Amino acid sequence: MKKLINNTDNIVSEMLDGMTAAYPQYVKRLEGLEVLVRSSGPSPKVALVSGGGSGHEPSHGGFVGKGMLDGAVAGAVFTSPTPDQVFEAVRAVNGGKGVLLVIKNYTGDVMNFEMAADMARDEGIDVEQVIVADDVAVENSTWTTGRRGIAGTVFVHKIAGAAAEAGESLADVKRIAEKVIANVRSMGMAVNACTVPAVGKPSFELAEDEIEIGIGIHGEPGTHREHISPVDNISDTLLGKILAEGIYDSGDEVAVLINGMGGTPLMELFVANKHINAVLDGQGLKVARTIVGNYMTSLDMEGFSVTLLKLDDELKKYLNAPAETPAFVQA
Amino acid sequence: MKKLINNTDNIVSEMLDGMTAAYPQYVKRLEGLEVLVRSSGPSPKVALVSGGGSGHEPSHGGFVGKGMLDGAVAGAVFTSPTPDQVFEAVRAVNGGKGVLLVIKNYTGDVMNFEMAADMARDEGIDVEQVIVADDVAVENSTWTTGRRGIAGTVFVHKIAGAAAEAGESLADVKRIAEKVIANVRSMGMAVNACTVPAVGKPSFELAEDEIEIGIGIHGEPGTHREHISPVDNISDTLLGKILAEGIYDSGDEVAVLINGMGGTPLMELFVANKHINAVLDGQGLKVARTIVGNYMTSLDMEGFSVTLLKLDDELKKYLNAPAETPAFVQA
């Protein structure tokens, strides 16, 4: 294993310090905790807290800032943060209008975020939660009951974050987040697996001509392996499963996220997008917005995921609202 | 070789189409050419054109937009664009106030951009050029006389682009670009080499415990190989050579770019930045701005480069000015 790290024990802590050192205009770290919050402090609006295991950078700390998250809790690599860390994040960002937890659907995350919510409610903080489960690849998995939460989560951060920034109530921010979740679907694939630093070898091995379809973001196995083919074919497979959900109809406006898994060159993501854009156009879908890049990664995994979000006027307004965070800025 | 492409012959063309399909609000493609220009068309200001071989995405097409470039010319992978393509870019973006070419110092690029400049001058277009040579690793290299141009080029795009946007004259935009070039230095390393699609195997092979220091962005060999060590040590090596240039003095304000080479997880770049920030602080340098991410890549190479730019009030003002491009947005 060759990684640009110092040691596996404090990789998350060093990463968080490196992030605050790079972007002090947006984020600061809660002392002694693996939590990033806005450096501007809490404000009188609904606050959003997300997080999960580390290794998905820039998720989630990279999305803390105006118009997106108020706090992000970083667990160990691919490991849920503990309830006390989530609780401290909630306390720190609470501005008196309530806090919404954005949880990716993994058993550990759901359990620990819910415990933190209970702890916060005991202190009189109004806490609600939404659970993102956008991955159409599998119905249940190693670490989930139900579908996994993957790159679609970034649209929840963006849109619910903008709604909170605009002064919507906790009930409305939650309603809007749930509308995103109801209308967002994703699916991914890998050319090569990731290597968890503390493990030191790839999560799975693929042959020189083999790819894995339907992978998760923690090195979980996908639905099947197949011989590598042109990326247009691979995109058809991913998109086909997403479109088969039956929630995207001709004439709908959609937003697209072509998400790199961490080790895939941007060049290849753009090549993929040419065909994906054409397929969506051929389906009569109007692509109102596309984002291409590394947003919900899996360490050094090579591969990508496609995310489709059906828009209405409300979602579109908040998708296009300003944001200022380390990893996503919009004027 | 496992890559997410269709075929190696039209990878650049497909990438450019994928980029315009993703970001039509910023860029459009000149018909029949490997050139991206602003979708808003030319405006009455100095225009900036850059480019070079492909494989460095998001450079350079990803920086076309308000506050940065007006046009970017994409050669084949790691191959200079031809003079006629550069010439067409210059013609397309010329708004009557002159055009500045931002060239990375590679023999082919310099020759072809200069030929294009001559062709444009023959048509009465006022063209100037600057050559970026920020890589302190080597004094001459496979494809250069003098130092190579690498990630520091992004600061030239940002700062000279903002100066042009602010209405500065061609002479002043050139002067400001040259000031950036005089004050910017970079150095990179690789954990694993990149694979050029048309070649199909890595540009060089490193052992399981070996890294290469001083690499270029085209799979060129570095200055030497060494046993992998903690990233703090590696950063000390890169930064040490940059600081030894003697242009950064205690009390100076600097901007920092921690640039991923394409296959390196963001987590590792942030870990590197923690130490780099501390070292700069220890040197009495004031870090006014840090950018962390994939900006000048080398396909799927795993590794990173460090760039340091000494700021004055003029450079700082334009570094912090707004930008709206596919790969860099600033409010």
Side-chain angles (χ1 to χ4, degrees):
Chain A
M1 177 183 73
K2 288 195 285 188
K3 284 190 181 283
L4 296 166
I5 60 176
N6 292 302
N7 70 64
T8 55
D9 290 339
N10 53 13
I11 187 170
V12 172
S13 180
E14 290 188 342
M15 171 190 74
L16 295 174
D17 285 343
M19 204 179 276
T20 56
Y23 297 101
Q25 68 272 46
Y26 304 129
V27 293
K28 65 181 178 191
R29 185 172 173 179
L30 291 187
E31 187 151 349
L33 297 167
E34 317 281 275
V35 175
L36 295 186
V37 297
R38 296 191 193 184
S39 48
S40 54
S43 57
K45 63 170 211 44
V46 171
L48 260 69
V49 170
S50 191
S54 292
H56 308 303
E57 292 68 35
S59 292
H60 296 272
F63 300 122
V64 172
K66 201 173 171 196
M68 293 186 78
L69 300 178
D70 294 85
V73 194
V77 173
F78 295 171
T79 303
S80 175
T82 53
D84 58 303
Q85 300 259 343
V86 180
F87 171 55
E88 293 298 341
V90 170
R91 282 177 110 174
V93 302
N94 176 37
K97 304 284 183 187
V99 179
L100 181 70
L101 305 181
V102 179
I103 313 171
K104 298 197 299 306
N105 188 34
Y106 298 97
T107 308
D109 283 357
V110 173
M111 190 172 67
N112 291 350
F113 276 77
E114 283 184 347
M115 284 176 64
D118 286 340
M119 293 161 75
R121 283 185 201 110
D122 285 347
E123 284 208 352
I125 302 172
D126 202 2
V127 181
E128 293 285 347
Q129 66 179 55
V130 294
I131 298 177
V132 189
D134 56 317
D135 184 355
V136 302
V138 292
E139 292 306 320
N140 295 289
S141 77
T142 321
W143 292 315
T144 63
T145 304
R147 287 176 166 178
R148 302 177 291 214
I150 56 172
T153 310
V154 178
F155 280 130
V156 181
H157 295 347
K158 174 67 194 75
I159 292 171
E165 206 72 52
E168 301 255 16
S169 68
L170 180 58
D172 276 326
V173 174
K174 182 180 179 182
R175 174 186 58 77
I176 290 163
E178 284 179 335
K179 185 159 55 166
V180 176
I181 292 167
N183 287 286
V184 71
R185 297 292 185 278
S186 304
M187 187 160 158
M189 61 76 62
V191 164
N192 284 308
C194 57
T195 297
V196 176
V199 176
K201 62 186 179 58
S203 306
F204 51 87
E205 294 280 357
L206 293 170
E208 259 311 295
D209 58 354
E210 203 178 35
I211 61 173
E212 181 129 358
I213 301 289
I215 46 90
I217 54 174
H218 307 91
E220 307 101 303
T223 55
H224 66 282
R225 293 177 182 189
E226 55 184 50
H227 197 276
I228 189 162
S229 61
V231 68
D232 288 358
N233 292 354
I234 297 168
S235 297
D236 284 341
T237 301
L238 303 182
L239 210 47
K241 190 114 196 240
I242 291 170
L243 292 172
E245 292 280 298
I247 60 175
Y248 309 96
D249 298 313
S250 182
D252 283 347
E253 280 199 300
V254 293
V256 180
L257 170 60
I258 312 291
N259 174 62
M261 302 307 292
T264 299
L266 218 42
M267 168 182 262
E268 298 179 21
L269 301 181
F270 281 119
V271 168
N273 185 57
K274 172 181 162 72
H275 179 68
I276 289 166
N277 188 272
V279 171
L280 296 174
D281 190 56
Q283 296 282 327
L285 295 169
K286 290 184 264 187
V287 178
R289 184 72 189 277
T290 304
I291 299 171
V292 179
N294 292 297
Y295 290 92
M296 180 68 74
T297 63
S298 183
L299 295 169
D300 53 347
M301 184 181 278
E302 294 165 54
F304 75 115
S305 63
V306 180
T307 297
L308 217 57
L309 168 66
K310 179 160 120 172
L311 296 169
D312 64 9
D313 288 346
E314 187 178 51
L315 298 188
K316 198 172 162 187
K317 176 179 76 173
Y318 288 131
L319 177 60
N320 291 330
E324 290 195 58
T325 73
F328 192 81
V329 179
Q330 191 160 278
Chain B
M1 178 185 72
K2 290 195 285 189
K3 284 190 181 284
L4 296 166
I5 61 175
N6 291 302
N7 70 64
T8 56
D9 290 339
N10 53 14
I11 187 169
V12 173
S13 180
E14 290 189 341
M15 172 190 72
L16 294 174
D17 286 343
M19 204 179 275
T20 56
Y23 297 102
Q25 68 272 47
Y26 304 129
V27 293
K28 66 181 177 190
R29 185 171 174 179
L30 290 187
E31 186 150 351
L33 298 167
E34 316 281 273
V35 175
L36 295 186
V37 298
R38 295 190 192 185
S39 47
S40 54
S43 58
K45 64 169 209 51
V46 172
L48 260 70
V49 170
S50 191
S54 293
H56 308 303
E57 292 67 33
S59 291
H60 296 274
F63 300 122
V64 172
K66 200 172 172 196
M68 293 185 77
L69 300 177
D70 295 86
V73 194
V77 173
F78 295 171
T79 304
S80 176
T82 54
D84 59 305
Q85 299 258 345
V86 181
F87 171 57
E88 293 298 342
V90 169
R91 282 178 109 174
V93 302
N94 176 36
K97 305 285 182 185
V99 178
L100 181 70
L101 305 180
V102 179
I103 313 170
K104 296 197 301 305
N105 188 35
Y106 299 97
T107 308
D109 283 357
V110 173
M111 190 173 68
N112 291 351
F113 276 77
E114 282 183 347
M115 285 176 64
D118 286 341
M119 293 161 75
R121 284 186 200 108
D122 286 347
E123 284 209 351
I125 302 172
D126 202 2
V127 181
E128 294 286 347
Q129 66 179 54
V130 295
I131 298 177
V132 189
D134 56 318
D135 185 354
V136 302
V138 293
E139 292 306 320
N140 295 288
S141 77
T142 321
W143 292 316
T144 63
T145 305
R147 288 177 165 178
R148 302 177 291 213
I150 57 172
T153 310
V154 178
F155 281 129
V156 181
H157 296 346
K158 175 65 195 76
I159 291 170
E165 206 72 52
E168 302 256 16
S169 69
L170 181 57
D172 276 325
V173 175
K174 183 181 179 181
R175 174 187 58 76
I176 291 164
E178 285 179 334
K179 185 158 55 165
V180 176
I181 292 166
N183 288 287
V184 71
R185 297 292 186 276
S186 305
M187 187 160 160
M189 61 76 62
V191 163
N192 284 308
C194 57
T195 297
V196 175
V199 176
K201 60 184 179 60
S203 305
F204 51 87
E205 294 279 357
L206 292 170
E208 260 311 294
D209 59 354
E210 203 178 34
I211 61 172
E212 183 130 357
I213 301 288
I215 46 89
I217 54 173
H218 307 92
E220 307 102 304
T223 55
H224 66 283
R225 291 176 183 190
E226 55 184 50
H227 196 277
I228 189 162
S229 61
V231 67
D232 287 359
N233 292 352
I234 297 169
S235 297
D236 284 340
T237 302
L238 304 181
L239 209 48
K241 190 116 197 238
I242 290 170
L243 292 172
E245 292 281 296
I247 60 174
Y248 309 96
D249 299 312
S250 182
D252 283 348
E253 280 200 300
V254 293
V256 180
L257 171 59
I258 311 291
N259 174 61
M261 303 305 292
T264 299
L266 217 43
M267 168 181 261
E268 299 180 19
L269 301 181
F270 281 118
V271 168
N273 185 57
K274 172 182 162 71
H275 179 68
I276 289 166
N277 187 272
V279 171
L280 295 174
D281 189 56
Q283 295 282 327
L285 295 169
K286 289 184 265 186
V287 178
R289 184 73 189 276
T290 304
I291 299 170
V292 178
N294 292 297
Y295 289 93
M296 181 67 76
T297 63
S298 181
L299 295 168
D300 53 348
M301 183 181 279
E302 293 165 54
F304 75 116
S305 63
V306 179
T307 297
L308 216 58
L309 168 65
K310 179 160 121 172
L311 296 169
D312 64 9
D313 288 346
E314 188 179 47
L315 298 189
K316 198 172 161 187
K317 176 179 75 172
Y318 288 131
L319 177 60
N320 291 330
E324 290 195 58
T325 74
F328 191 80
V329 178
Q330 191 160 276

